[in-house]
Amino acid sequence: MNELLENPTCTSKLNTNKPDFDWRSVSRLMLLSRALDDIEEHELVPEKLVFNQFSARGHDFAQILLGSLLTHPHDAATGYYRSRPFVMSLGIELDEVVASPLAKSGGYSDGRDIGVVCNYPNVNRKGAMLFPMCGGVGAQYSPISGWAQSIRYHQLQLKDESYAGAIAVSMGGDSSMSTSGFWAALNISTTNNLPHLFYIEDNGYGISVPQEVQTPGGDQVANLKAYKNLKIIDGDGTDPELTPILIKEAVEYVRSGQGTCLLRLKVPRLCGHTFQDTQTYKSADFIAQEQAKDPLPKLRSYLLNKGLIAIDEWQALEDECYTAIRASVDSAKLRQQPDPDSLTRYVYAEKDQVQLRGGLAASGHTFPVQSEQPKPEGARLNMLTAIRKTLDYELETNPKVLVFGEDVGPKGGVHAATLGLNEKFGNHRVFDTSLSEEGIIGRSVGLALSGLMPVPEIQFRKYAEPAAEQLSDTGIMRWRTNNQFAAPMVVRIPGGFARRGDPWHSMSDEVEWAHKVGWQLAMPSNAEDAVGLLRYALRDNNPTIFFEHRSLLDNGWSRRPYPGDEYIIPFGQAKTILSGAALTVVCWGAMVERCEKAALSLDLDIEVIDLRTIQPWDKTAILASVEKTGRCLIVHEDNRTAGFGAEIAATLADELFFSLDAPIQRLTMPDIPNPHNALLLEEAVPTEQKIAQSMKKLIEV
């Protein structure tokens, strides 16, 4: 990614003059935040109207100063559960800030998520967008690295100068620096010299665990001083004179295009981790020392001593803020409850309701002509070549597509699916990443939220496990923000056996993605379907797992002529491979070839259906077929217990029980990992012979 290493000079759109803080605005936001904390702690929590209360007292001053400097229309930030003052400083309506913790209608999520996990789409681009917060500590870091990369990409590759001087900011506590997400983001942003500001609020504790337990010497920032391409700014986050200087220096360093900065400010946590935390792990003397560091009295004294505010003005402002919060709380209590009838909306994209931020659809992107009718051309291609050819065309026609992962660049991928694409499209379009699946998927989130189409590759199915948190959070993003945000992407994951198996490279386990809310899952069995499904996914408005079975990548049966550059297959449409009336066989992936050959060997009028996509799956086609045949055999490579075949069987039993002439049968892998020895693999995986035996036995029932 050499292009990403460039430091574009900022245009006149960037104000390089040091801004003066509006101290009245800063004071007002601090007082509003304190008043809300007070009412929540003494009223709303005891009344059980608020269940998740995280006070920001002590953290609030520096947060507000930082937020007030994020004025660029393409700034973006991620926060965490103690970031409410920062969120308020970005311009969110006060009533939404107050109502959301009460889980009332409206707010950040319409009652779907806890109030401290907030977001701010800022559709008018008046300052920073706040990414949807996540409940997991450290999950906020790698997505904002993706946004930082998107700033460079929009400016340098898409030639959009409005991105000049924009920055990405991630907020986190000191203990979040122990997470894999922090280290993944640090590697991404420093390696590529991205405009990323890490803001660390160091209060010395992770709930009850002191920094000495978290990191050698109890000071992670000191340990990072040798890190390359990382500017470190360190100091007090409560001093009205020093703190603004440190924050301005950090923001201006990143805005000027010099690279990544880590700003660590030490702040007191003037409360427990949550309202319920009594802090018995701290001594009375230590708590008293923390209270003495409260930035609010310091700010008040500073403003009074400098003649920037009079004592009666301060008191009036304090009264005004409490009154405003009191009124907002009373108003929030009167809000309606969220509508239960809308509870299942926005798990997936709705064509007439496009999300506010994220993905190609939100920016009104248009695609080339597409067709559901294949136009076969040329010789038969293997699936690997078909995938590469599809990626090539979409990269060529859509400058917002980026393909990346471990070894996908000059090497062309460990399976060669991206061979030649780096050479053709360059390091900014097809590039290698550090070895961190958390970082690969997290980066994809930020790129997607910026309006790009990321196509990350996970080398093998098992290697997706380190990215599980980012994948889960991505899938539920649309639902938990009530369709304000979505991060469409296509995650390519090869998996399954290939000649031999093993527990690490040959896992199938596709059912996990069927269970992950918000994700689509495609599992093509041949080259033509791979083209149509992949192209559809790359143009769709939902995140998709595209599962590439390793045994099919260069399989003779799976070879097909290229179906043309317009060909798409909408998800949820199964394909009937063989028609028959005696038995319905449902299969997908590598089992399709085996089921077809088994059925042909028997000549018993068997219907074989390739599901093609698992989420969504074509329930209508399966029900219609089983209604006709009265019998069903489900064949899949995944383990038997809770495999997706169980879902199909349960659906058939529920909706077609009285149409069945025989019990529904499943033929699957036993509940074991994929074995390496060829003989053991043959025993474990459904073979053509085993499938034929099961077909014959079920027809004879």
Side-chain angles (χ1 to χ4, degrees):
M1 294 195 315
N2 294 332
E3 287 84 348
L4 294 175
L5 294 174
E6 298 176 25
N7 291 328
T9 56
C10 300
T11 67
S12 59
K13 294 176 183 286
L14 173 62
N15 180 11
T16 58
N17 295 323
K18 290 192 175 184
D20 291 325
F21 288 102
D22 181 343
W23 289 112
R24 183 177 180 84
S25 176
V26 171
S27 301
R28 182 175 183 275
L29 286 168
M30 281 193 72
L31 291 169
L32 287 170
S33 179
R34 294 293 177 102
L36 182 52
D37 278 339
D38 184 63
I39 291 175
E40 284 182 339
E41 291 173 355
H42 294 95
E43 176 185 323
L44 301 179
V45 170
E47 291 177 358
K48 300 189 185 308
L49 295 176
V50 169
F51 291 90
N52 298 92
Q53 206 282 334
F54 293 83
S55 171
R57 289 194 301 273
H59 292 229
D60 40 12
F61 176 60
Q63 286 187 17
I64 291 167
L65 292 178
L66 176 59
S68 70
L69 297 181
L70 300 186
T71 56
H72 194 290
H74 297 302
D75 284 348
T78 54
Y80 71 116
Y81 49 80
R82 213 177 300 282
S83 298
R84 186 161 65 187
F86 174 77
V87 175
M88 294 167 67
S89 73
L90 299 181
I92 297 180
E93 291 185 15
L94 182 61
D95 284 349
E96 303 303 326
V97 174
V98 173
S100 292
L102 278 75
K104 292 298 186 75
S105 62
Y108 308 130
S109 69
D110 202 40
R112 297 175 177 215
D113 208 343
I114 58 177
V116 295
V117 177
C118 55
N119 61 75
Y120 184 40
N122 201 355
V123 291
N124 295 321
R125 310 297 203 271
K126 294 182 178 179
M129 176 180 85
L130 180 73
F131 280 25
M133 290 185 189
C134 299
V137 176
Q140 70 268 35
Y141 288 112
S142 55
I144 207 67
S145 284
W147 184 274
Q149 181 175 339
S150 80
I151 292 171
R152 289 284 172 79
Y153 190 85
H154 278 89
Q155 185 184 357
L156 294 174
Q157 307 306 325
L158 300 182
K159 307 302 180 185
D160 186 346
E161 281 301 315
S162 70
Y163 279 81
I167 67 172
V169 176
S170 55
M171 301 184 65
D174 47 286
S175 294
S176 70
M177 298 174 73
S178 299
T179 64
S180 61
F182 172 81
W183 290 101
L186 192 65
N187 283 337
I188 292 169
S189 294
T190 55
T191 300
N192 297 290
N193 220 24
L194 298 177
H196 181 174
L197 172 58
F198 290 83
Y199 171 48
I200 301 300
E201 301 177 304
D202 188 349
N203 61 35
Y205 280 86
I207 305 183
S208 66
V209 180
Q211 269 297 291
E212 288 75 15
V213 179
Q214 297 280 354
T215 188
D219 190 342
Q220 192 69 277
V221 173
N223 296 336
L224 285 172
K225 286 185 178 178
Y227 224 79
K228 301 297 183 183
N229 297 334
L230 181 65
K231 168 79 168 178
I232 293 179
I233 299 175
D234 198 9
D236 186 351
T238 68
D239 187 324
E241 287 192 290
L242 177 61
T243 304
I245 294 172
L246 297 174
I247 293 175
K248 289 177 185 177
E249 180 185 359
V251 171
E252 290 178 2
Y253 177 87
V254 181
R255 280 215 194 282
S256 66
Q258 296 181 70
T260 303
C261 177
L262 189 150
L263 169 65
R264 192 267 296 273
L265 298 180
K266 292 191 175 181
V267 295
R269 194 182 74 193
L270 303 177
C271 53
H273 173 68
T274 65
F275 175 72
Q276 292 82 4
D277 180 8
T278 59
Q279 301 197 91
T280 54
Y281 45 86
K282 293 181 179 179
S283 69
D285 287 345
F286 184 83
I287 291 176
Q289 292 171 17
E290 286 194 308
Q291 296 297 324
K293 297 175 184 176
D294 187 344
L296 184 59
K298 289 185 177 183
L299 175 62
R300 178 178 179 273
S301 297
Y302 173 78
L303 297 179
L304 292 173
N305 293 337
K306 292 288 186 179
L308 297 173
I309 197 169
I311 185 65
D312 56 338
E313 290 179 299
W314 178 272
Q315 187 59 55
L317 183 60
E318 192 171 334
D319 294 342
E320 173 193 324
C321 291
Y322 191 90
T323 300
I325 292 295
R326 178 77 266 170
S328 189
V329 167
D330 293 341
S331 176
K333 288 181 176 181
L334 298 176
R335 283 197 183 195
Q336 297 294 316
Q337 296 287 358
D339 180 9
D341 291 339
S342 67
L343 180 62
T344 58
R345 293 193 68 185
Y346 306 131
V347 174
Y348 294 100
E350 299 181 13
K351 290 184 178 179
D352 59 337
Q353 295 285 333
V354 176
Q355 66 274 7
L356 299 178
R357 299 298 293 265
L360 299 171
S363 62
H365 184 84
T366 57
F367 295 98
V369 174
Q370 57 192 38
S371 170
E372 296 181 31
Q373 298 301 316
K375 299 176 182 178
E377 57 185 54
R380 286 157 49 91
L381 305 176
N382 65 15
M383 188 188 290
L384 194 66
T385 305
I387 290 169
R388 185 189 308 124
K389 194 172 177 66
T390 306
L391 291 173
D392 190 332
Y393 181 79
E394 295 302 309
L395 282 161
E396 185 74 46
T397 58
N398 184 357
K400 296 180 180 179
V401 172
L402 289 81
V403 176
F404 53 93
E406 298 160 20
D407 301 304
V408 305
K411 179 178 174 61
V414 295
H415 302 93
T418 58
L419 193 64
L421 297 182
N422 170 264
E423 182 179 0
K424 180 175 180 179
F425 294 100
N427 291 330
H428 56 285
R429 302 288 308 281
V430 181
F431 55 87
D432 290 326
T433 68
S434 53
L435 201 161
S436 168
E437 285 77 19
E438 200 283 354
I440 290 171
I441 301 302
R443 178 198 309 230
S444 302
V445 174
L447 292 169
L449 287 175
S450 79
L452 302 175
M453 170 49 77
V455 189
E457 177 184 298
I458 303 295
Q459 283 188 346
F460 296 94
R461 166 64 187 86
K462 178 69 171 62
Y463 298 172
E465 303 305 307
E469 181 175 44
Q470 292 295 343
L471 289 163
S472 295
D473 293 347
T474 299
I476 65 174
M477 182 183 294
R478 184 189 303 277
W479 182 87
R480 64 188 170 90
T481 65
N482 201 33
N483 203 40
Q484 295 188 87
F485 289 85
M489 64 181 72
V490 179
V491 184
R492 296 178 39 253
I493 306 181
F497 64 88
R499 297 186 182 90
R500 286 182 179 269
D502 67 67
W504 314 110
H505 303 88
S506 307
M507 174 189 283
S508 179
D509 195 27
E510 67 272 9
V511 73
E512 179 175 347
W513 312 120
H515 196 70
K516 291 292 187 204
V517 174
W519 280 97
Q520 298 181 139
L521 171 61
M523 293 189 67
S525 67
N526 60 80
E528 180 180 285
D529 286 356
V531 171
L533 293 171
L534 180 56
R535 179 165 292 118
Y536 181 85
L538 290 168
R539 300 181 181 188
D540 194 42
N541 194 23
N542 292 292
T544 299
I545 301 291
F546 190 79
F547 194 101
E548 302 167 4
H549 201 287
R550 294 168 62 224
S551 74
L552 301 178
L553 293 177
D554 193 26
N555 173 287
W557 179 90
S558 298
R559 292 174 182 247
R560 302 286 191 277
Y562 183 67
D565 291 333
E566 298 179 2
Y567 186 51
I568 63 163
I569 301 174
F571 283 15
Q573 295 185 7
K575 182 178 182 179
T576 301
I577 304 298
L578 296 174
S579 296
L583 169 68
T584 298
V585 178
V586 183
C587 50
W588 53 89
M591 294 297 105
V592 178
E593 175 190 5
R594 298 184 177 200
C595 287
E596 182 190 51
K597 288 181 177 179
L600 291 172
S601 72
L602 294 175
D603 193 24
L604 290 175
D605 198 24
I606 297 171
E607 185 149 291
V608 177
I609 299 178
D610 180 355
L611 213 51
R612 300 202 289 196
T613 62
I614 305 301
Q615 186 62 266
W617 67 285
D618 193 346
K619 183 171 74 171
T620 300
I622 304 307
L623 289 175
S625 177
V626 178
E627 178 78 44
K628 175 179 65 174
T629 65
R631 290 173 167 81
C632 184
L633 172 67
I634 305 162
V635 183
H636 62 70
E637 179 183 340
D638 200 0
N639 297 150
R640 181 179 180 84
T641 300
F644 195 69
E647 174 65 22
I648 298 172
T651 299
L652 292 172
D654 184 44
E655 301 192 29
L656 282 184
F657 181 79
F658 293 105
S659 298
L660 295 172
D661 297 325
I664 303 162
Q665 296 291 310
R666 289 175 290 159
L667 181 61
T668 73
M669 280 261 294
D671 293 337
I672 59 171
N674 209 295
H676 183 56
N677 178 274
L679 179 62
L680 296 179
L681 180 65
E682 183 78 3
E683 178 63 25
V685 178
T687 61
E688 182 181 329
Q689 182 181 12
K690 292 177 186 175
I691 295 169
Q693 290 172 349
S694 296
M695 289 175 171
K696 189 172 184 296
K697 183 178 179 181
L698 188 53
I699 289 174
E700 292 173 349
V701 170

